Amino acid sequence: MINFGSGPAALPDEVKLQLQLDILDFKGSGFSVLELPHRGRLIQNLIEETNDLVKSLMNLPPNYQVIWMQGGGRLQFHMIPLNFLKKDTTAAYVISGHWAKQAYLEALKLGDAQIVSSSEEKMFQSLPDLDFTLPEPAQKLAYLHYCSNNTIYGTQFKHFKKLKDIPLIVDMSSDILTRRLDYRPFDLIYAVAQKNLGIPGITMVVIKEDLLKEAAFSVPDILSYPAYVRSHSTVNTPAVFQILTTFRMLEWMKEKDLNHIFMENEKKAQLLYDFLDQSVLFEPIAHKDSRSQTNVCFRLKSRSIYETEVVLEYLKNHRLYFLSGHRNIGGFRAGLYNAISLSDVQCLIDVLKKYESQY
Ligand code: PMP
């Protein structure tokens, strides 16, 4: 069975098998990873090793810190303004989809936030214009926020407009480590684990030390970025098994070689879009220049809701699962994260072709 879900998403078999061993006996300690003390050497080393792997795979210079938090992407929507949106500042948001908008709405609850560009009027089927100007009056900008890949709408930024001296904060939940990208222009990157990095329960945050210095002092430790850095992600008991899953995923990516994964990801998306572009029954939803490599959204040209259900059933009968589109847009959505192979995608295309030829 192939899991094309957009998150929680497929994990490689090698990772699941390794986790079974870790549950029984973690690193030869004789203990399950599920029962080890979080402040003990083994778990503290695990966190350090995971951070090192992130830094090396993302090719980050030493002035970045990696931390692990609970609360998902939604907590980050709140924590970012809580830590960085001060009284005399405003935050700028690029609204490219549902999650970007949720992040903006959370910021509004805490202070002054403004939309600098949005594609909501185009139903998020294409990316917002990046030729935007800054909010007026020219208050001090606390940060500029993007969502790099719009999981629901299947659109993805290839470029980010960076404003001089304005911290750049990006939600990379659905495309972290899936493509060649220079991460150094970003000041804070966050990514929930349940798509490309493991399972629900943790969010990875990568933050530049200069931005850390800007964090408000009054924030409770449990919501404070500097407190997580100081405590090595152990402000309270961390989600150890989730961190271990991410560690095993990162090891798997390193072993497979990131360049190879990136090349394969390009091919996977290309194959599927090529099929959809020439299909008589199906069509991609996102505009061509905005298409995502990790979440391919498509629909029946007829837009029939009844037939969409029939196709989903047909796909399941061919062992292809979790392909329904998000309820906001309907249709179909294929999550092509790193754990999905080229042959998995070929299999999906073959079944769609078979359906097309039969009906
Ligand atoms: N950002 C993006 C890009 C997402 O796709 C999601 C959820 N899938 C979130 C944030 C929210 O994550 P969570 O459900 O972990 O809060």
Side-chain angles (χ1 to χ4, degrees):
M1 297 211 280
I2 307 174
N3 175 0
F4 285 99
S6 284
L11 290 172
D13 284 344
E14 296 93 315
V15 169
K16 287 183 277 196
L17 285 169
Q18 178 59 52
L19 288 170
Q20 282 189 329
L21 298 177
D22 292 325
I23 286 177
L24 290 174
D25 179 6
F26 181 60
K27 292 198 170 177
S29 63
F31 288 96
S32 163
V33 68
L34 302 175
E35 56 197 18
L36 282 166
H38 60 285
R39 293 188 197 279
R41 183 182 52 82
L42 277 168
I43 299 305
Q44 286 297 307
N45 284 352
L46 167 70
I47 296 174
E48 280 317 303
E49 277 181 69
T50 313
N51 294 354
D52 289 346
L53 256 179
V54 168
K55 285 185 200 163
S56 87
L57 290 174
M58 289 177 73
N59 213 357
L60 293 172
N63 59 335
Y64 281 85
Q65 298 283 348
V66 183
I67 48 184
W68 305 94
M69 289 176 185
Q70 299 178 38
R74 280 196 173 266
L75 184 63
Q76 296 306 309
F77 299 166
H78 179 74
M79 273 183 66
I80 290 161
L82 190 69
N83 279 263
F84 304 118
L85 184 53
K86 313 229 175 85
K87 243 191 172 154
D88 55 340
T89 66
T90 185
Y93 281 77
V94 176
I95 310 295
S96 51
H98 173 81
W99 298 113
K101 189 166 176 191
Q102 294 304 309
Y104 161 71
L105 292 175
E106 286 299 302
L108 270 189
K109 292 178 187 167
L110 293 174
D112 185 39
Q114 300 193 24
I115 297 175
V116 287
S117 190
S118 168
S119 54
E120 191 165 12
E121 75 286 359
K122 296 178 195 154
M123 282 150 47
F124 297 127
Q125 288 178 13
S126 58
L127 290 167
D129 190 359
L130 286 193
D131 197 18
F132 52 79
T133 47
L134 290 181
E136 290 290 340
Q139 273 175 296
K140 196 173 172 297
L141 262 190
Y143 57 83
L144 170 62
H145 182 280
Y146 289 85
C147 177
S148 59
N149 185 75
N150 302 290
T151 327
I152 295 176
Y153 301 92
T155 62
Q156 182 177 36
F157 285 104
K158 310 273 176 302
H159 309 284
F160 300 84
K161 175 168 166 169
K162 182 169 166 62
L163 304 169
K164 197 169 175 289
D165 298 331
I166 311 291
L168 188 54
I169 297 185
V170 185
D171 176 356
M172 293 200 188
S173 291
S174 46
D175 65 353
I176 188 87
L177 286 171
T178 59
R179 57 176 171 164
R180 203 176 313 283
L181 189 66
D182 181 2
Y183 290 101
R184 290 169 303 176
F186 304 102
D187 296 273
L188 188 154
I189 297 165
Y190 60 101
V192 302
Q194 64 264 28
K195 299 167 194 300
N196 255 305
L197 295 178
I199 55 173
I202 51 162
T203 305
M204 181 185 86
V205 179
V206 165
I207 182 166
K208 221 178 205 170
E209 281 165 2
D210 282 349
L211 182 60
L212 264 178
K213 289 183 203 142
E214 298 294 321
F217 284 115
S218 57
V219 173
D221 275 5
I222 197 71
L223 298 172
S224 150
Y225 292 110
Y228 277 79
V229 171
R230 280 196 303 273
S231 66
H232 305 282
S233 305
T234 319
V235 170
N236 64 334
T237 314
V240 172
F241 186 69
Q242 275 78 354
I243 295 175
L244 173 65
T245 306
T246 297
F247 176 70
R248 294 299 182 204
M249 271 299 286
L250 295 169
E251 267 189 338
W252 176 85
M253 289 186 209
K254 189 177 171 185
E255 179 77 24
K256 252 195 113 177
D257 182 46
L258 270 190
N259 285 328
H260 174 76
I261 291 179
F262 295 163
M263 265 166 42
E264 216 176 59
N265 284 347
E266 271 178 38
K267 275 193 217 154
K268 278 154 41 182
Q270 189 68 49
L271 268 182
L272 187 49
Y273 283 120
D274 282 351
F275 162 71
L276 294 168
D277 280 334
Q278 59 73 55
S279 166
V280 286
L281 270 192
F282 302 99
E283 63 182 8
I285 298 179
H287 290 183
K288 206 162 193 165
D289 57 357
S290 302
R291 289 174 178 175
S292 163
Q293 212 176 255
T294 51
N295 301 94
V296 176
C297 294
F298 57 103
R299 65 187 166 207
L300 284 160
K301 286 184 176 167
S302 69
R303 315 246 177 124
S304 156
I305 294 173
Y306 169 74
E307 196 184 352
T308 302
E309 290 304 319
V310 172
V311 176
L312 285 169
E313 225 21 65
Y314 186 85
L315 290 162
K316 271 193 218 161
N317 291 338
H318 289 80
R319 301 156 58 86
L320 307 178
Y321 278 79
F322 308 122
L323 278 151
S324 57
H326 188 275
R327 60 187 180 278
N328 287 9
I329 64 165
F332 311 92
R333 174 172 57 164
L336 307 187
Y337 302 124
N338 292 349
I340 292 291
S341 68
L342 199 57
S343 64
D344 293 337
V345 177
Q346 193 54 60
C347 189
L348 171 62
I349 295 168
D350 291 345
V351 175
L352 290 171
K353 271 187 187 160
K354 195 169 146 196
Y355 178 87
E356 207 170 48
S357 66
Q358 284 176 5
Y359 297 90

